[in-house]
Amino acid sequence: QILEQKLKNSIRINTDDIYYSIYRKHAHGDFSEMELEVIYKSIACLAHYLPLANPKGNFIFEGTFRKKSQREAIKQSAKNSMVNIIFVNCNNEDIIKKIIKIIKMTTNADNTFGDYLKVKSVYEKPKIGTYFEINNNNQTNNPFKDTSLLKQINDYLTTL
């Protein structure tokens, strides 16, 4: 949300919202393999066509992107546009639980900490140097007041 507000002409597209748009129901827990494929193929199409429709737009595709192939599909689809991967990292499980609670209150997601652990066990971390990392371990109840998080986002924005 912070990045979306700081980037001009930006649109944030979340995997849970895509799920709801396609299936007309809220996801409960993790997506099935078939649902993941449909969602990430949809994102790849959006990554291709949105920059063509709005060349000055900044499109934020928000999701886990647990597989390298999912990230590569986005890069390939948007090959005529600049693509940056931002890896938001949080190792503090108490904060992760808090983040899951915030996400439940502000989005259509119905994820649990158990779902997080399941995804974490199969997550393929991007190679160092292929992404910009933001450490979200110091998140407060209001991320817009977290000076560490805001500084990291501002640092990222200076690279654009």
Side-chain angles (χ1 to χ4, degrees), residues 16 19 29 51 54 60 92 100 111 116 130 142 144-145 149 158:
D16 292 313
Y19 178 92
N54 184 358
I60 302 164
N92 183 324
I100 290 170
N111 299 355
Y116 158 77
T130 62
N142 183 348
F144 293 94
K145 293 184 179 179
L149 183 61
T158 63

Side-chain angles (χ1 to χ4, degrees), residues 19 22-23 31-41 67:
Y19 178 92
I22 294 169
Y23 296 104
F31 303 129
S32 71
E33 284 297 318
M34 185 199 68
E35 291 167 340
L36 281 171
E37 185 175 342
V38 169
I39 290 166
Y40 284 100
K41 282 186 177 183
K67 296 179 182 178

Side-chain angles (χ1 to χ4, degrees), residues 79-146:
K79 63 185 171 195
N80 295 325
S81 304
M82 185 174 78
V83 176
N84 294 315
I85 294 176
I86 302 172
F87 179 65
V88 180
N89 185 24
C90 182
N91 298 319
N92 183 324
E93 292 190 344
D94 289 332
I95 291 175
I96 291 169
K97 288 175 186 174
K98 191 186 299 185
I99 291 169
I100 290 170
K101 186 176 180 180
I102 291 169
I103 290 170
K104 279 184 176 186
M105 293 182 332
T106 59
T107 71
N108 297 328
D110 188 27
N111 299 355
T112 66
F113 187 70
D115 295 324
Y116 158 77
L117 292 174
K118 179 181 166 190
V119 171
K120 180 182 175 184
S121 72
V122 297
Y123 186 81
E124 299 170 5
K125 188 172 178 179
K127 289 182 182 177
I128 292 175
T130 62
Y131 61 91
F132 187 90
E133 185 166 0
I134 294 177
N135 181 308
N136 201 19
N137 282 327
N138 297 319
Q139 185 181 20
T140 64
N141 285 333
N142 183 348
F144 293 94
K145 293 184 179 179
D146 184 336

Side-chain angles (χ1 to χ4, degrees), residues 10 14 20 46 54 66 75 94 101 110 112 137 156:
S10 65
N14 181 286
Y20 184 78
L46 290 169
N54 184 358
R66 66 191 78 189
K75 285 184 186 178
D94 289 332
K101 186 176 180 180
D110 188 27
T112 66
N137 282 327
Y156 166 71

Side-chain angles (χ1 to χ4, degrees), residues 38-57:
V38 169
I39 290 166
Y40 284 100
K41 282 186 177 183
S42 298
I43 290 174
C45 288
L46 290 169
H48 176 77
Y49 288 107
L50 285 174
L52 295 174
N54 184 358
K56 294 183 179 182

